[in-house]
Amino acid sequence: GIMEKQGSACDNGVCLPGANSSNPSPVPIPAAQSPPNPPPSAPALALEIEIISDTMCPWCWVGKRSLEKALTLRRESSAITADVTWLPFFLDKDLPDDGKPVREYYLGHYGDADVGDRMKPQLVAAGRRCGIDFEGFCEKTTTFRPTIRSHRLVEFAKRQGKQDDMVEALFRLYYEECGHLNSVEHLCAAAGRVGLEGNVRAYLESDEDEEAVFRVAREVKHLASGVPTFLISRKDRPDAKAVSLNGARPPEAFLRVFDLLASS
C-alpha cells in the first residue's frame, strides 16, 4: 500500500506530521513487475514532477536519490525529461525558535519517545544504499528546530533556477554536517555553496516570502498525508490527474510510474 502504518511517524520511508493526519487518495500504482522498457525510438517522455517535502524529513533526501536514480536508469533506454519543483510541507510549523528536544517532540507527536531510536537502523541502511551518511545525524541531533527559514531559502533559490541544488545543499547541511535549518549563518553558507546571488542574509533575516510559503503549504497539504510525496504527470497532459507516490520508494517504483505515464 501507499502508506502501510498511518501512525508510524518516520519509518517505512515516510514522515507523518502526527498520528491524526488524513490520507489523500493517491492514484494506484501497478503491481511490481518488470515491464519491458519502451523501445529507444519512443518519443521523449516529458514529465512534470512536484515533490512535497519538509527539510527536516530524512526520507525526503532518500526519495530524491531514488528519483534521480530512476531517471538515470530510464535515460539509458529512452528519452525522458523531468521538470522538478519542490513544494513546502511542515511536519511541525509551531516548533519554537530554540527548538524542541527530539524525544519530547516524538512523545508529543506520536505518543512514543523511542520512535527515532527504532527508525535509526532502517534509515542508516537506506542512506547507505544511496550514498548518504545518516550516522552522525542520528547520533548528534538532540533538538528539532523550525524549518520555515530553509523553505524560504528554497523559494529564493527557485527564482534563480537553483531550487533543486538548494534542496540538495540543505539536506547535506542538516543530515551530514549537522547544521541548523533555522540558523542564518548555516543557511548563508549553504546558499554560498550553491552560488545564490543577491543579499541572502538580509532576505533570511527578514520575513519575506514567509506568508507565501505557509500559504502554499496549506494549499498542498490535502495532497500529502506525509512526506516525501511525489506528484508525477506528463507535461503534454496538463489536465490529467498526477500519479502520487508517497514515501521514499525504490527506483523501480518510479520506473513503473514512468511506464504507466508513457503508455497512457
Side-chain angles (χ1 to χ4, degrees):
I2 288 289
M3 293 197 52
E4 288 83 359
K5 295 166 69 179
Q6 181 59 29
S8 58
C10 271
D11 56 5
N12 281 348
V14 65
C15 286
L16 302 178
N20 301 318
S21 56
S22 60
N23 251 338
S25 14
V27 175
I29 306 303
Q33 289 160 349
S34 302
N37 285 325
S41 58
L45 180 62
L47 298 178
E48 195 84 55
I49 302 177
E50 294 181 311
I51 307 173
I52 303 172
S53 162
D54 195 352
T55 43
M56 69 179 280
C57 167
W59 295 111
C60 290
W61 199 8
V62 176
K64 181 178 188 289
R65 282 281 186 277
S66 277
L67 170 63
E68 290 164 348
K69 175 75 170 171
L71 288 167
T72 299
L73 288 169
R74 177 45 49 92
R75 286 182 184 123
E76 291 172 2
S77 61
S78 61
I80 185 170
T81 61
D83 284 352
V84 175
T85 304
W86 292 81
L87 299 172
F89 188 96
F90 291 93
L91 288 164
D92 185 349
K93 70 178 182 59
D94 299 317
L95 283 168
D97 282 344
D98 55 354
K100 184 177 282 189
V102 166
R103 290 177 62 79
E104 184 185 319
Y105 171 89
Y106 284 135
L107 184 62
H109 271 65
Y110 311 114
D112 182 353
D114 297 320
V115 162
D117 293 335
R118 280 203 306 279
M119 174 182 67
K120 181 188 170 184
Q122 188 187 8
L123 178 62
V124 168
R128 205 170 278 140
R129 285 193 295 272
C130 57
I132 301 170
D133 180 8
F134 284 118
E135 282 277 3
F137 168 74
C138 291
E139 295 300 331
K140 297 175 190 168
T141 301
T142 57
T143 305
F144 286 146
R145 292 175 171 83
T147 59
I148 177 60
R149 266 203 185 112
S150 65
H151 283 296
R152 287 174 50 232
L153 187 54
V154 170
E155 183 63 26
F156 187 86
K158 181 182 179 183
R159 296 199 278 270
Q160 299 181 27
K162 295 179 177 176
Q163 192 189 35
D164 203 66
D165 291 342
M166 191 69 250
V167 169
E168 180 72 22
L170 289 171
F171 285 151
R172 192 171 299 285
L173 164 74
Y174 189 48
Y175 299 111
E176 293 194 336
E177 299 165 8
C178 297
H180 297 165
L181 290 171
N182 67 338
S183 161
V184 171
E185 293 296 330
H186 295 177
L187 294 174
C188 280
R193 287 194 285 273
V194 171
L196 291 192
E197 297 167 2
N199 194 333
V200 176
R201 178 178 297 275
Y203 172 81
L204 290 171
E205 287 174 343
S206 76
D207 63 359
E208 189 180 339
D209 289 331
E210 184 168 304
E211 196 39 59
V213 168
F214 279 135
R215 186 180 68 249
V216 172
R218 285 194 300 271
E219 288 169 356
V220 302
K221 194 168 186 182
H222 73 284
L223 298 170
S225 60
V227 286
T229 292
F230 300 84
L231 304 173
I232 309 173
S233 58
R234 282 175 57 152
K235 290 184 79 172
D236 63 344
R237 306 271 172 82
D239 298 328
K241 186 177 169 77
V243 177
S244 174
L245 259 191
N246 187 254
R249 301 305 192 87
E252 294 73 31
F254 289 99
L255 290 170
R256 290 198 296 277
V257 173
F258 299 163
D259 287 331
L260 178 69
L261 290 169
S263 62
S264 66

